[in-house]
Amino acid sequence: MHEMALTESVVALVEEAARSEGFSRTKAIVLEIGLLGHVEPEAMQFCFEAVSRGTIAEGARLDIIRVAGQGWCLDCGKSVPLAERFGACPECGRHHVQMTAGDELRVKELEVE
């Protein structure tokens, strides 16, 4: 389960932000997780409670925003929705699509005191 390591990294980022910004408590963490990123939000939620114990993130709310897959079709020259990695363009059917969204894992926002 790689979500445990990912959650540990998120908590480490929050702790680093607390040191550099001087806050003493984290109330909420908002994560953006791409639908095509092979990360299970439920597993992140499960791991967060265990990983955050004894840290500045303990007791914080973990909010997860799912980001839809998006790509740029090199043949059509436009942005298209992607339902799978390396999928075909839904407009022209070709596979010359560069993913532009949907595989991210990003701390979007922190609510702190």
Side-chain angles (χ1 to χ4, degrees):
M1 169 168 27
H2 68 283
E3 283 82 0
M4 181 67 80
L6 294 172
T7 306
E8 289 170 339
S9 295
V10 168
V11 171
L13 286 171
V14 172
E15 289 182 317
E16 178 59 34
R19 283 190 291 279
S20 67
E21 301 296 324
F23 57 87
S24 60
R25 180 170 175 255
T26 307
K27 294 171 66 176
I29 301 167
V30 180
L31 291 181
E32 288 183 331
I33 299 177
L35 287 168
L36 307 179
H38 305 292
V39 175
E40 293 296 325
E42 297 81 14
M44 292 286 290
Q45 288 281 3
F46 177 79
C47 294
F48 181 71
E49 187 177 334
V51 168
S52 65
R53 258 188 223 119
T55 73
I56 196 161
E58 184 172 11
R61 187 178 74 248
L62 181 63
D63 296 331
I64 296 175
I65 299 168
R66 299 306 308 260
V67 178
Q70 197 74 19
W72 180 259
C73 179
L74 299 170
D75 293 321
C76 293
K78 61 183 171 180
S79 186
V80 295
L82 282 180
E84 62 182 339
R85 283 180 172 269
F86 312 112
C89 171
E91 299 287 326
C92 70
R94 295 189 178 118
H95 288 271
H96 299 129
V97 181
Q98 293 179 335
M99 188 182 319
T100 58
D103 66 344
E104 54 270 79
L105 173 58
R106 172 182 308 129
V107 176
K108 179 180 180 169
E109 187 177 316
L110 293 175
E111 184 179 332
V112 300
E113 292 182 338

